[in-house]
Amino acid sequence: MEITIPKNFILGAASSAWQTEGWQGKKAGQDSFLDSWYKNEKFVWHDGYGPAVATNFMEKYPEDIHWMKEVKLTHYRTSINWARFFTDYEQLVVDEDYAEHINQVIDGLIEAGVEPMLCLEHYEVPSYLLEKYDGWSSKKVIELYKGYAKIAFERFGDRVKQWFTFNEPIVTQTRCYLDAIRWPHEQNTKKWMLWNYHKVLANAEAIKIFKEGGFEGRIGCILNPEMVYPRSSSVADQKAAQMYDLFFNRIYFDPMVKGAYPEELLTLCDQYDISFDATPAELATIKKYTVDFLGVNQYYPKRVQAPKYAWNPETPFHPEMFYEPFDLPGKQMNSSRGWEIHPEIMYDMAMYLKKNYGDIPWLVSENGMGREQEEQYFDNQGQVADEYRIDFIGQHLYHLLRAVAEGANCEGYMLWAFTDCVSPMNAFKNRYGLIRIELNQERSRSPKHSAFWYRSLIEDRKFILPDPISYR
């Protein structure tokens, strides 16, 4: 079957500062949360690789932009590394060397015909602010973030017209403070909820600065909702799915798009003593300054069922008291990543957004296929024959375009990632890129088969729907 791609449908790619830059030129005291985690728990990062070198984008960005031009990429989303943008986080003294790097990247992208899209925070909160103010626990950090946002808009807003306040704002505190599975392993559910609230407020405050400053373009946030599927049609299983959706999806969607939290969520926060202290003025800001558009990261579904056992009252509150995971028999798996492959999430998430949030513009800001040991797929020319990635993208694009044809306001698809890059703990174990990066001193680049296929999508605006294949 031949699938046609609408003319104005974005076909881009994404990454982040910390996952590509490396520490070349980084000054003392400019560690981000990810840098500190890597320094404190290097042993959990696969083969010890992490942000220290990453892809060495600081020096290699001209080569990456060259490959973007070769692939005919239309848009590239990355972040400004907040921790590297300043030499003084309180007085907001800009590191001019780093700011010039951002200028050069922006100018290089535009010259290559690639529209830059910038995110202000992709887990790069400065460690200084974590140590002094406990990070997003403090409204002082919101004030400093506001100052950072204003400077970024002023410095780069003449060329950057699409901005994101955060990437996946729920992730850091969920891994670190709700589940306590990442450094610093502090279980504190009330702190988890407070960080969620403060990021929602910071998002609204940044939008306020953008609007009042008269900057051209639009501003939104990148969220990572999970399409939730209940095990069955039973009332109990349906309720489990609704509760997961409430605590992990609507917790950001509702205030950022509709301007207000779900009453059910606030009631549960009071009931389980995890409420946050929101002032009427703050709630008014959230109400008024909603997002212009959304980035939606999609990789895998979430399957849940009603819990089988009563919650241990001595265990700190966790939303898991309302649901438990359901392991679907026979599910398609990416054995490298341990994630279910279910391309229908693209259509289902699009319909979820249309039903619950109306005509809000959005795009898939991340989706991709991570595979380990890609060396085994080298062809005779020394290129990675990653037909599995081509099939994965094709299947997901098909279901996304089905939704577009039915009225979903999805503007495009951003592949994760343009090049192989570092991921938390996973490091370079799973490769995601159209462009391969060797782990030598030079971090040498080379295109994979998927790079040429993706170029054909952009140029021809059509593709043949691949047959589903096994990714085991």
Side-chain angles (χ1 to χ4, degrees), residues 20 38 90 96 106 119 131-132 179 199 211 227 250 252 256 290 296 322 331 341 344 349 375 408 438 452 455 460 467:
T20 56
Y38 179 66
E90 308 254 18
E96 295 298 343
I106 292 170
C119 182
E131 293 162 4
K132 183 168 183 179
D179 297 333
K199 288 183 180 182
K211 299 297 183 182
M227 193 62 225
R250 294 182 63 197
Y252 281 95
M256 287 188 173
T290 53
V296 177
F322 299 113
K331 63 186 177 182
I341 296 175
E344 289 87 346
M349 179 55 68
E375 298 79 12
E438 303 297 338
F452 302 105
R455 180 173 66 188
D460 301 336
D467 295 327

Side-chain angles (χ1 to χ4, degrees), residues 441-460:
Q441 186 174 356
E442 295 77 23
R443 291 294 194 264
S444 306
R445 271 79 162 150
S446 63
K448 304 176 188 178
H449 285 197
S450 57
F452 302 105
W453 178 80
Y454 205 66
R455 180 173 66 188
S456 75
L457 292 187
I458 297 168
E459 289 183 322
D460 301 336

Side-chain angles (χ1 to χ4, degrees), residues 9-10 36 50 77 88 153 236 246 257 288 303 306 341 346 349 357 420:
F9 190 81
I10 292 169
S36 293
R77 191 259 295 185
D88 187 320
F153 299 151
L246 180 68
V257 179
K288 183 175 182 180
R303 301 188 186 275
I341 296 175
M346 306 298 265
M349 179 55 68
Y357 302 100
D420 294 336

Side-chain angles (χ1 to χ4, degrees), residues 288-304:
K288 183 175 182 180
Y289 294 101
T290 53
V291 294
D292 295 329
F293 72 129
L294 286 170
V296 177
N297 294 349
Q298 287 291 282
Y299 289 98
Y300 50 81
K302 181 70 178 184
R303 301 188 186 275
V304 299

Side-chain angles (χ1 to χ4, degrees), residues 94-373:
V94 174
D95 183 330
E96 295 298 343
D97 294 332
Y98 183 76
E100 181 56 25
H101 164 72
I102 299 297
N103 274 320
Q104 290 171 357
V105 170
I106 292 170
D107 291 344
L109 289 169
I110 292 171
E111 185 178 351
V114 182
E115 180 171 353
M117 307 173 82
L118 286 186
C119 182
L120 293 172
E121 203 260 36
H122 194 126
Y123 316 154
E124 294 132 347
V125 60
S127 290
Y128 171 89
L129 301 181
L130 288 166
E131 293 162 4
K132 183 168 183 179
Y133 298 109
D134 200 24
W136 293 104
S137 299
S138 171
K139 290 180 181 177
K140 175 66 174 179
V141 171
I142 298 177
E143 291 301 312
L144 296 174
Y145 174 83
K146 287 166 57 179
Y148 160 45
K150 184 174 186 292
I151 293 170
F153 299 151
E154 291 170 345
R155 292 261 181 152
F156 311 121
D158 59 329
R159 290 154 291 159
V160 177
K161 306 303 179 184
Q162 304 206 57
W163 292 89
F164 297 105
T165 55
F166 291 93
N167 174 81
E168 300 183 347
I170 199 171
V171 167
T172 300
Q173 61 268 22
T174 298
R175 301 290 182 264
C176 298
Y177 304 122
L178 180 64
D179 297 333
I181 57 175
R182 291 184 180 174
W183 181 84
H185 309 284
E186 176 190 342
Q187 204 298 314
N188 188 330
T189 310
K190 190 174 181 69
K191 182 172 176 176
W192 171 72
M193 186 56 72
L194 181 64
W195 277 42
N196 287 325
Y197 170 64
H198 281 170
K199 288 183 180 182
V200 167
L201 178 58
N203 169 79
E205 293 283 10
I207 293 172
K208 180 180 179 181
I209 291 167
F210 189 83
K211 299 297 183 182
E212 291 184 347
F215 297 100
E216 293 182 12
R218 60 182 185 170
I219 183 168
C221 188
I222 298 164
L223 302 178
N224 58 312
E226 292 170 88
M227 193 62 225
V228 192
Y229 298 103
R231 177 189 62 170
S232 75
S233 61
S234 75
V235 172
D237 285 344
Q238 295 288 322
K239 181 64 174 178
Q242 292 166 11
M243 295 302 280
Y244 189 92
D245 185 50
L246 180 68
F247 275 99
F248 294 100
N249 295 339
R250 294 182 63 197
I251 191 173
Y252 281 95
F253 274 142
D254 279 39
M256 287 188 173
V257 179
K258 294 182 175 181
Y261 280 94
E263 285 299 324
E264 183 181 6
L265 179 66
L266 298 178
T267 299
L268 289 168
C269 287
D270 287 340
Q271 182 178 347
Y272 293 100
D273 192 28
I274 59 168
S275 293
F276 44 86
D277 182 20
T279 69
E282 290 167 355
L283 294 177
T285 298
I286 291 169
K287 181 71 174 177
K288 183 175 182 180
Y289 294 101
T290 53
V291 294
D292 295 329
F293 72 129
L294 286 170
V296 177
N297 294 349
Q298 287 291 282
Y299 289 98
Y300 50 81
K302 181 70 178 184
R303 301 188 186 275
V304 299
Q305 60 187 343
K308 298 185 181 70
Y309 307 103
W311 189 256
N312 180 353
E314 296 182 4
T315 301
F317 172 76
H318 190 294
E320 270 193 357
M321 75 177 294
F322 299 113
Y323 66 87
E324 64 180 50
F326 170 62
D327 189 13
L328 180 70
K331 63 186 177 182
Q332 184 83 318
M333 288 290 292
N334 175 355
S335 58
S336 292
R337 199 67 175 93
W339 289 350
E340 180 181 352
I341 296 175
H342 186 66
E344 289 87 346
I345 59 172
M346 306 298 265
Y347 176 87
D348 293 340
M349 179 55 68
M351 293 298 105
Y352 169 95
L353 290 169
K354 183 181 177 184
K355 175 183 176 182
N356 295 293
Y357 302 100
D359 205 34
I360 181 75
W362 63 281
L363 69 158
V364 172
S365 39
E366 285 184 26
N367 173 253
M369 175 66 173
R371 197 68 175 160
E372 63 181 320
Q373 298 177 344

